[in-house]
Amino acid sequence: MHKQRIALIIAGGLGMLATFLPWRSAMGFSANGTHEEFGLYELTDWEIFYQLQMIGAGWFTLCIFAISIAIAFSGKIAEPLGKIKFLSISIGIINAIIGILLIIAIENKFAPFTFLSNGLYLLIFAGIAVSVIPFISALAKK
């Protein structure tokens, strides 16, 4: 298997793991990306992104990272990614943007009461890694 594909599998696996790690914590309790909370709220600016976490945005990011792993196994696995690497780049960017928007939303809604946890940071890191890996491996090949 090509090193580029192995790196993509590792980054996608870390992103999938981030779904189940704590995203935020408050007073000894934590919530991960699969936490679901139902309720009616008046949504203002960043609260809509906070609601993404509350309806289980982690399941969405889990599926997207699973697609990046499927991309790594598609085609001839002994060769680097071809044109499909652009799909991997967009997947990584989408996940990183979701993570950044959730950080902003959680900080705006619960700034003094809650703390961001490692899972959300790992989600952003894995999203950036999934989008950067095709470029790093392509540069190393030349």
Side-chain angles (χ1 to χ4, degrees):
M1 184 172 272
H2 194 270
K3 292 179 184 178
Q4 181 183 31
R5 294 175 184 264
I6 293 171
L8 188 61
I9 291 169
I10 292 170
L14 286 174
M16 292 174 76
L17 176 66
T19 301
F20 301 105
L21 292 175
W23 284 14
R24 62 185 172 97
S25 59
M27 295 184 273
F29 298 101
S30 65
N32 61 15
T34 60
H35 174 77
E36 295 181 11
E37 178 181 298
F38 296 101
L40 298 174
Y41 302 98
E42 292 183 22
L43 299 179
T44 59
D45 299 335
W46 291 103
E47 288 185 11
I48 192 164
F49 296 108
Y50 170 74
Q51 290 301 317
L52 282 176
Q53 182 193 10
M54 292 298 100
I55 60 172
W59 295 114
F60 178 70
T61 59
L62 179 76
C63 293
I64 292 178
F65 278 121
I67 292 171
S68 70
I69 292 175
I71 288 171
F73 284 111
S74 66
K76 297 179 182 177
I77 60 173
E79 297 177 1
L81 294 172
K83 293 182 180 180
I84 201 163
K85 71 181 175 183
F86 296 109
L87 181 60
S88 172
I89 293 165
S90 62
I91 285 172
I93 290 171
I94 288 170
N95 278 327
I97 288 173
I98 288 173
I100 291 168
L101 291 177
L102 283 172
I103 284 177
I104 294 169
I106 291 169
E107 285 294 320
N108 284 340
K109 187 166 178 77
F110 296 109
F113 305 111
T114 189
F115 301 98
L116 298 173
S117 297
N118 298 334
L120 201 51
Y121 294 122
L122 182 60
L123 177 83
I124 295 169
F125 171 74
I128 293 170
V130 164
S131 61
V132 170
I133 284 170
F135 289 118
I136 292 174
S137 296
L139 292 174
K141 183 182 171 191
K142 290 182 179 180

